[in-house]
């Protein structure tokens, strides 16, 4: 059975392009592209047989199917030959049962999907493996591709650089000079990316990277690239798989450019279309109050959308005022009985810290999701007996400054309710003993 | 079949104790304890049947067997009831095929086991899940245990705190005042450990923590606790499992307190005893030249051992001059045709950086292992066609300062051969284009 996928214009004109074409927008109407699959071919296999196949491959040794992205290859990107797959064993991250946090907030069935427990420390690996593999495929077919470029200061450039380094393909990262430190860039730098620091702002970088890519057969790994969505959608499939193919009631996901809302929705819709699941979860998208254009639109019943000027937020990866994927995301939220909630700096930091006390180590974006959950439970928009899955997008080890400042009570606009301060004591048994006995009785 | 394990004195007197006893040394002779299993009972199951059982459980949803530690429960710690297991889905980390690095250094079959891709970012999770689960078991049996304590500045306190936080058991971390920053401690602090900062040095802390534990029914999670070894030994089993049950020729492991040498050896010996494998790999233990007591002993053919004064090294987790597990480790190395090698600061930092350029993100300890590999290949002590597995013990995200300083060429005693420095450019298409074309031709 030869499965097939292609790019298709998502703006209504339905023009099609091959996945091994270097293309980012529809040539006819300029619209965004999305990856479409030959669903009829996928339906030749029964739902139960798909589930069995995916389970059989999950975390096993047969290349490349042990990766949870490539174990779903036919539904993700069948157009890449196995020997061109660039995989760092994506997915398979813990679906953490938040038993203690659930007890504190009164939910019974709360799960936190630890997507940040990944090679480069964020969920971006899931999409980047597909994009870089497709580039390797094109190179193997004789396409003259010099490298892959992006303008990003964060998780995207880290993932791009690691996958390119593993593949031996040059990665080129564009950044505004003096706005980014070596520390922020240490992943691309360590992975040998060609790092260009331009004396301009972020928009200036974007302009030049686009022209460079257009003129030089350098592939652009921007967030509109819909190959990445195909990898990211496997989170939906994997988490259902980890729940023994039961669909949770609610999925909560932080939203900036909103590609992940689209990706998660796509995963669920595909499973439903193939008969693997019978219901859809509600999708809750959460934003920082400092960068909340989707939330504003939600308040108007999605009747209108206006970009906002994003302000500085601790949730830096979703500090976006004019999301690229806004239209796709709103469409998806309408299909999934969607809810949008926001969280202030104080709310997100305290929510992350409370959850950390129960064994997690949350990034601020997960803090936004947790804070939103607390609010929606209070409003009874999420019920306490529902099965809730929060998508945690990055490892807390990427955000140790945030945590240090929280526990030193030095974050602006945040009153650190759960700050944990070391006790200073003389090295005397009795005093130490007394202190432990006093403090342990307060432990919760 | 009721499997069984117990503590047994490893110093010759062979005294036995139950695993649910709060005990750290033999009551008769004061010797170190090790966990022994009823091997005859384990042998009731055939080798093939064990392999099938372990494969069936690996990363699946049935609690607690999806964890790669608890999927091997009968061989690890059968004495814990499933409902008392405190697991954060240990193991299952990528066995990274270092194809590009292998090409550079001329090996064909080089693998790097990414143990740092774990909940708390290091291999310590593997042992801590066993220790904290046993504590939960004891509490469930009515034992009065107030908490679990350790004196550690690093990965051990991070793992202890996370597992205790997940279990709802107080963790107590002892530290010398002014010698450790909030940043170094952020994992225990975030996970709500009771953190005591004592006005003394590290030895002073150890003394008090031991007395506190003795007098208060606080469990001591020190590195002599052999329950942790049982969890850590699953790395051997898991990596053989990931190689379709084929034993590699060489295992390379960084050594400080040397518990991990014992653990890895134990895993292989158990598999051999049960008939699951027919050969043993060689074990190569590697040390920083600044803290190399085992290496010094190796040079004398292990005839003598003298503690050294450990000097500051970038490989901070193995900066130990008087290893706790020295005797067990030497015994193990003799059984495994062991080799010991060392690496200087310059060698370890450059080795880590070279490997990073091929898609990894190495901690300095993995750098020690890589540098030692390069030297042993040169000396032909490891052959280029051998199957080599390096145990990478922590995630590079725990060591971003090390990487930043490397690429800024600011590490003492290190000449950064592979420093990657951002190119500063004006925002002009032609100049940027020229720079990319020039630089990409140098890409390797």
């Amino acid at each position: 059975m030869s499965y097939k996928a292609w790019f298709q214009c998502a703006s209504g004109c339905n023009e099609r392009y091959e996945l091994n074409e270097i293309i980012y927008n529809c040539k006819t109407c300029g619209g965004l592209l999305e990856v479409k699959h030959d669903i009829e071919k996928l339906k030749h296999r029964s739902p139960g047989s798909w589930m069995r196949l995916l389970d059989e491959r999950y975390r096993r040794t047969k290349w490349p199917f042990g990766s949870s992205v490539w174990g779903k290859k036919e539904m993700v990107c069948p157009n890449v030959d196995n020997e061109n797959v660039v995989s760092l064993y994506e997915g398979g991250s813990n679906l953490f049962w938040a038993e203690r946090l659930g007890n504190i907030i009164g939910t019974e069935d709360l799960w936190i999907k630890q997507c940040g427990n990944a090679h480069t420390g964020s969920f971006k690996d899931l999409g980047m493996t597909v994009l870089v593999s497709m580039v390797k495929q094109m190179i193997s077919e004789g396409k003259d591709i010099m490298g892959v470029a992006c303008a990003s200061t964060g998780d995207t450039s880290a993932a791009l650089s690691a996958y390119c380094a593993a593949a031996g393909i040059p990665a080129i990262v564009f950044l505004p000079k003096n706005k980014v430190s070596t520390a922020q860039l240490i992943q691309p730098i360590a992975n040998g990316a060609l790092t260009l620091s331009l004396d301009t702002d972020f928009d200036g970088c974007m302009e030049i990277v686009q022209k460079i890519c257009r003129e030089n057969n350098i592939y652009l790994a921007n967030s509109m690239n819909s190959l990445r969505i195909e990898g990211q959608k496997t989170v939906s499939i994997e988490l259902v798989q980890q729940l023994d193919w039961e669909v949770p009631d609610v999925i909560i996901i932080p939203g900036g450019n909103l590609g992940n809302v689209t990706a998660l929705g796509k995963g669920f819709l595909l499973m439903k279309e193939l008969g693997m699941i019978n219901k859809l979860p509600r999708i809750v998208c959460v934003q920082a109050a400092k960068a909340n254009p989707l939330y504003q639109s939600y308040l108007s019943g999605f009747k209108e959308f206006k970009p906002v000027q994003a302000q500085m937020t601790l949730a830096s990866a979703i500090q976006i005022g004019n999301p690229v994927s806004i239209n796709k995301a709103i469409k998806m939220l309408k299909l999934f009985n969607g809810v949008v909630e926001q969280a202030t700096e104080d709310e997100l930091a305290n929510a992350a810290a409370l959850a950390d006390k129960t064994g997690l180590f949350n990034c601020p974006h997960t803090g936004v999701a947790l804070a939103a959950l607390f609010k929606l439970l209070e409003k009874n928009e999420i019920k306490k007996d529902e099965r809730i899955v929060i998508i945690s997008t990055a490892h807390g080890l990427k955000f140790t400054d945030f945590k240090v400042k929280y526990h030193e009570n030095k974050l602006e606009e945040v009153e650190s309710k759960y700050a944990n301060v070391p006790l200073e004591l003389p090295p005397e048994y009795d005093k130490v003993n007394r202190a432990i006995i006093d403090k342990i009785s307060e432990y919760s």
Side-chain angles (χ1 to χ4, degrees), chain A residues 323-339:
Chain A
V324 169
S325 302
I326 182 70
N327 294 328
K328 285 186 189 175
I330 289 179
K331 213 168 103 186
M332 209 54 99
L333 285 168
K334 287 179 178 170
L335 280 173
F336 283 82
N337 194 10
V339 174

Side-chain angles (χ1 to χ4, degrees), chain A residues 153 180-189 398 401:
Chain A
T153 59
V180 186
S181 68
T182 311
Q184 279 176 279
L185 277 181
I186 191 59
Q187 288 180 281
I189 284 179
K398 286 196 170 197
D401 279 357

Side-chain angles (χ1 to χ4, degrees), chain A residues 5-19 23-26 31-37 76 224-230 233 262-263 265-266 269 325 327-329 331-332 335:
Chain A
W6 58 88
F7 288 128
Q8 187 164 324
C9 178
S11 300
C13 89
N14 288 331
E15 199 74 47
R16 290 184 181 196
Y17 307 93
E18 297 291 326
L19 292 190
I23 189 167
Y24 315 106
N25 289 89
C26 178
L32 291 179
L33 303 176
E34 60 186 331
V35 175
K36 288 276 187 187
H37 291 264
V76 169
M224 277 112 77
N225 192 307
S226 50
L227 289 166
R228 285 168 57 194
I229 299 291
E230 293 308 292
K233 81 181 181 194
T262 315
K266 257 196 117 174
L269 290 175
S325 302
N327 294 328
K328 285 186 189 175
K331 213 168 103 186
M332 209 54 99
L335 280 173

Side-chain angles (χ1 to χ4, degrees), chain A residues 379-424:
Chain A
K379 297 181 197 171
N380 215 21
E381 287 200 49
I382 295 178
K383 308 282 180 294
K384 287 182 186 279
D385 62 351
E386 288 188 296
R387 175 169 283 181
I388 305 154
V389 176
I390 286 176
I391 308 295
S392 175
T393 49
H395 202 296
L397 285 172
K398 286 196 170 197
F399 294 90
T400 51
D401 279 357
F402 157 66
K403 291 178 183 292
V404 169
K405 285 193 186 136
Y406 177 89
H407 288 283
E408 291 178 345
N409 209 355
K410 286 182 185 161
L411 290 176
E412 274 178 39
E413 302 181 36
V414 175
E415 192 196 324
S416 302
K417 275 190 230 167
Y418 308 106
N420 185 10
V421 181
L423 275 188
E424 299 204 353

